[in-house]
Amino acid sequence: MIQDNHEEIFAAAWNRDGYTSIEFDPLDVNQVLTDEYDDGDGLVLTRTQLWDMEVKKAARPDLFIPGMIRAGTARSWGRRELKNGDEVFIRVSEQRLWLQPDSFGTVIEACYLNHSSQQVTFIGLPEVEDDAGETVTASPAQPLFHVVHGVSG
């Protein structure tokens, strides 16, 4: 069963002694498009478009960040809508290892889509049973990590 308290788990880990917490400055996506792409031709993405991309990327990160996720390895299951309209599911993918970036390892994440705050919370898991009843184990070469991605502005 997928837990529904991803945001509480993240907050507890963020404030826990011995855990490393890192927060990046917010990124103005439209400014990056202007600065980095010559052929953007005035393209401006809306908050709705960015949230749609975050929702899709949560389920299939290999399609959106192919430099970090081995192609074709992302899969998700157990998607369920909560009473408040938010969603939860499990995803597994082969991701680049932080300390060995030329190698990949299995990463398991419980995902929580908070549609009202437009944030996705990913909780790293050491092991999970997949939709076929098989046990999937995270790579011991990659530390467990929790992440929040969101849209603002």
Side-chain angles (χ1 to χ4, degrees), residues 2 75-80 88-92 108 128-132 134 136:
I2 302 170
R75 61 188 179 112
S76 62
W77 65 89
R79 194 173 201 120
R80 152 174 84 84
V88 294
F89 60 92
I90 298 291
R91 83 173 186 191
V92 173
I108 306 167
V128 71
E129 187 176 295
D130 70 11
D131 53 343
E134 299 293 322
V136 179

Side-chain angles (χ1 to χ4, degrees), residues 54-131:
E54 283 292 344
V55 169
K56 290 175 180 173
K57 184 176 69 157
R60 287 297 309 271
D62 55 330
L63 300 178
F64 290 87
I65 48 174
M68 295 302 297
I69 312 294
R70 189 188 308 255
T73 65
R75 61 188 179 112
S76 62
W77 65 89
R79 194 173 201 120
R80 152 174 84 84
E81 185 173 329
L82 305 177
K83 290 177 185 176
N84 63 3
D86 293 345
E87 299 173 77
V88 294
F89 60 92
I90 298 291
R91 83 173 186 191
V92 173
S93 60
E94 296 292 317
Q95 298 187 15
R96 286 196 185 278
L97 301 177
W98 297 348
L99 299 178
Q100 300 168 323
D102 292 334
S103 298
F104 290 84
T106 301
V107 173
I108 306 167
E109 297 161 294
C111 306
Y112 182 90
L113 302 175
N114 184 324
H115 292 287
S116 61
S117 69
Q118 295 186 321
Q119 290 189 324
V120 184
T121 303
F122 303 94
I123 301 299
L125 301 173
E127 187 175 274
V128 71
E129 187 176 295
D130 70 11
D131 53 343

